Amino acid sequence: MADPTNLSRRMTLSNIVQAITTYGPISRASVAKMTGYSKQTVSEIVSSLEEDGWVQTVGRTEGNVGRRAVVYEIVPDAALVASVDLGGTKVRVALCNLSGAVVAEVAEPTCKDGGEAVVDQIARMVNGATSNLGIAPSKIRVAVIGVPGVPDLETGHINLAPNIIGIDRIDFSSLLRVSLGIEVIVENDVNLAALGEHWMTHQGDKDDLVFLSIGTGIGAGVVIGGQLVRGATGGAGEVGFIPFGADPTEPESLKVGALERVTATTAIVGGYRQETGMQKTVPEIFDAFVAGEEAAANVLQTTASYIARTIGAIAAVIDPNCVVIGGSIGAREELIRMIEQEIARNLPRAIPVEASALGNHAALAGGTAVALSRLHIALFARDLPGANIVVPPPEIETFQEGAA
C-alpha cells in the first residue's frame, strides 16, 4: 500500500504546481490563499521546487502597500516535450517548453518505405531538433505521436492507416520508446486535433465539440465534457466508415470506408475527371470553382452535401456545441459555406459549424497539450490517484508562428 503521507505530500505539491502553472507569475501568499494551504507549507514546497530548478522568481508584486512580494513561475525551459504529426505525405515535429511555446519545429516528407523506417525517421527528427538547439536529447521527457489511423494498445499496430505501409505490422509505440528512450504516447491525429482545438480555442465555453477533418481521408475527433472519446477499441470518430455514399458492401468500402470514397481527395479528383475528362488536383478544382466553372461547382456541391449529412448524423447522436472543420480540404472557406447552406437546406435545426482556428497546427497543439499534462503529472503527481494538471495554452499566434 502506498504511503498515505507521501500521497498527501504529492497532492499538496500537485495543487501548488497547478496554481503556479495556471496563474503565474504569482506570490506564495496568493498560492496559499488560492489552495488553502498554510503559508509555511507553500513556502516549503516552492523553495523545494526552486531548488530543483522547476520554479523561478520573476520579480515582485506591484501596486501594493507595504513590502512587495516575490512572485514565481514555472521555469519554461526546465524540460521539453515533443509533439509529432505523422501524415501520409509529411512528418511534422514540434518541441515545446513547459509553457507550451514552440521552441523548434522541423518537417519533411514521410519516408515512403513505411514501417520501421518511419520510426527511425521520427527519432532522427526529434533528436535532430534538439541538436539544432544545442541541448541534450535528455531534455525531452515525453513525446506524443499523432498517427493517421487507430492505435492498437495490445499490439502497438496502427490500424486503418493505408497511406503508410507496414505501420499495421509493427509495434510502433514500443519501437519509438526504444529509439527515443522516453515515454511515448500514440494517438489518432484527428483526436489530437480535436484536443488541440478544445485546448486553445474552446476550453470551458464549448466543452462538447467534434473536429471533422477532410483531406486525403475523412475522420472526426469527439470531445465530450472536455474529455476525448475514444470508444471501446479506439475507433470512435472513424466517420469515413459511415455506411452511405458509396456502396458499403463493396470491398473498397470495407478497406477505405463508404463515406470516405465520396468525400475525400480521391473522390473530388475522380468526380471532376468524370465530369470533364480532365485531371486536376484538388486545389486546381477549387480554383476552377472560384473562377465560375460549373463542373467544379457540381463536384464540390456533391462533396458538401455528403459532409452536411455526416454532420447531421453526428449531431443526431452527440448534439455537440459546435463542429469544427479542418484538414487540407475542410479548411477551404468555399466548402464550409457550401456545407452551411446544405445544413440549412436539409437538416431540421441549425448546427454550428466553424473553420479550424489552428489549421495544420491542430494535431501538434493537441499533442502538446497531452504531453505537457502527462509530464506535469509524472513530475509532480506520481502515484496520485486521479491526478490531472491542466497547462494553460499559449496564444494561438505564438504557437502557430513557432510551429510554422
Side-chain angles (χ1 to χ4, degrees), residues 81-84 96-98 100 141-146 183-200 203 223 226-228 230 362-378 387-394 399:
V81 298
S83 181
V84 180
C96 303
N97 64 21
L98 291 180
R141 301 297 189 94
V142 179
V144 173
I145 320 296
E183 180 179 7
V184 171
I185 300 169
V186 179
E187 182 60 84
N188 173 265
D189 56 356
V190 182
N191 282 349
L192 288 181
L195 288 173
E197 289 284 343
H198 176 261
W199 184 48
M200 284 198 168
Q203 198 170 147
V223 175
Q227 300 298 313
L228 181 67
R230 293 184 178 85
L364 286 177
T368 301
V370 171
L372 287 175
S373 179
R374 184 68 194 91
L375 175 57
H376 275 70
I377 290 170
N388 183 36
I389 297 180
V390 179
V391 179
F399 189 87

Side-chain angles (χ1 to χ4, degrees), residues 157-323:
H157 298 173
I158 309 301
N159 300 319
L160 303 178
N163 295 316
I164 304 178
I165 61 171
I167 202 171
D168 59 343
R169 298 192 297 272
I170 61 172
D171 190 339
F172 182 77
S173 54
S174 292
L175 288 172
L176 266 174
R177 287 189 192 100
V178 172
S179 295
L180 291 173
I182 58 175
E183 180 179 7
V184 171
I185 300 169
V186 179
E187 182 60 84
N188 173 265
D189 56 356
V190 182
N191 282 349
L192 288 181
L195 288 173
E197 289 284 343
H198 176 261
W199 184 48
M200 284 198 168
T201 68
H202 293 88
Q203 198 170 147
D205 64 331
K206 293 181 179 177
D207 277 341
D208 296 348
L209 70 83
V210 172
F211 182 90
L212 184 63
S213 177
I214 309 155
T216 305
I218 182 171
V222 181
V223 175
I224 300 295
Q227 300 298 313
L228 181 67
V229 177
R230 293 184 178 85
T233 62
E238 290 294 324
V239 296
F241 287 91
I242 291 178
F244 67 69
D247 184 346
T249 65
E250 292 178 352
E252 186 67 14
S253 294
L254 297 176
K255 178 182 177 183
V256 176
L259 178 65
E260 184 165 311
R261 291 176 65 192
V262 297
T263 53
T265 296
T266 300
I268 294 174
V269 171
Y272 185 81
R273 186 173 57 248
Q274 188 174 355
E275 282 259 350
T276 65
M278 294 187 294
Q279 184 78 15
K280 285 188 176 182
T281 65
V282 171
E284 289 171 341
I285 294 169
F286 273 99
D287 290 343
F289 167 71
V290 172
E293 185 182 280
E294 183 179 359
N298 290 339
V299 171
L300 294 178
Q301 193 66 50
T302 298
T303 302
S305 177
Y306 281 123
I307 294 170
R309 285 194 230 172
T310 303
I311 291 171
I314 292 170
V317 176
I318 297 174
D319 191 23
N321 291 111
C322 68
V323 176

Side-chain angles (χ1 to χ4, degrees), residues 15-255:
N15 290 336
I16 290 173
V17 168
Q18 179 70 83
I20 297 173
T21 300
T22 303
Y23 300 105
I26 187 172
S27 69
R28 286 176 290 183
S30 294
V31 172
K33 184 176 181 181
M34 189 171 296
T35 60
Y37 298 123
S38 70
K39 291 182 181 180
Q40 181 179 348
T41 296
V42 171
S43 293
E44 289 175 358
I45 294 289
V46 170
S47 295
S48 176
L49 289 168
E50 188 175 18
E51 185 178 334
D52 291 341
W54 298 111
V55 163
Q56 64 186 3
T57 60
V58 286
R60 294 178 178 271
T61 54
E62 298 289 344
N64 295 326
V65 177
R67 190 172 63 179
R68 296 182 302 164
V70 175
V71 292
Y72 298 85
E73 70 176 8
I74 295 293
V75 178
D77 297 322
L80 299 175
V81 298
S83 181
V84 180
D85 184 9
L86 172 62
T89 59
K90 182 178 286 188
V91 184
R92 293 176 180 269
V93 174
L95 302 186
C96 303
N97 64 21
L98 291 180
S99 66
V102 177
V103 298
E105 190 269 340
V106 291
E108 59 183 55
T110 304
C111 180
K112 293 182 180 179
D113 293 336
E116 292 190 29
V118 171
V119 173
D120 295 339
Q121 179 183 25
I122 292 172
R124 173 179 54 76
M125 291 175 69
V126 171
N127 292 327
T130 58
S131 177
N132 291 339
L133 288 174
I135 62 173
S138 59
K139 195 86 167 180
I140 302 176
R141 301 297 189 94
V142 179
V144 173
I145 320 296
V147 295
V150 179
D152 186 318
L153 297 181
E154 292 186 3
T155 65
H157 298 173
I158 309 301
N159 300 319
L160 303 178
N163 295 316
I164 304 178
I165 61 171
I167 202 171
D168 59 343
R169 298 192 297 272
I170 61 172
D171 190 339
F172 182 77
S173 54
S174 292
L175 288 172
L176 266 174
R177 287 189 192 100
V178 172
S179 295
L180 291 173
I182 58 175
E183 180 179 7
V184 171
I185 300 169
V186 179
E187 182 60 84
N188 173 265
D189 56 356
V190 182
N191 282 349
L192 288 181
L195 288 173
E197 289 284 343
H198 176 261
W199 184 48
M200 284 198 168
T201 68
H202 293 88
Q203 198 170 147
D205 64 331
K206 293 181 179 177
D207 277 341
D208 296 348
L209 70 83
V210 172
F211 182 90
L212 184 63
S213 177
I214 309 155
T216 305
I218 182 171
V222 181
V223 175
I224 300 295
Q227 300 298 313
L228 181 67
V229 177
R230 293 184 178 85
T233 62
E238 290 294 324
V239 296
F241 287 91
I242 291 178
F244 67 69
D247 184 346
T249 65
E250 292 178 352
E252 186 67 14
S253 294
L254 297 176
K255 178 182 177 183

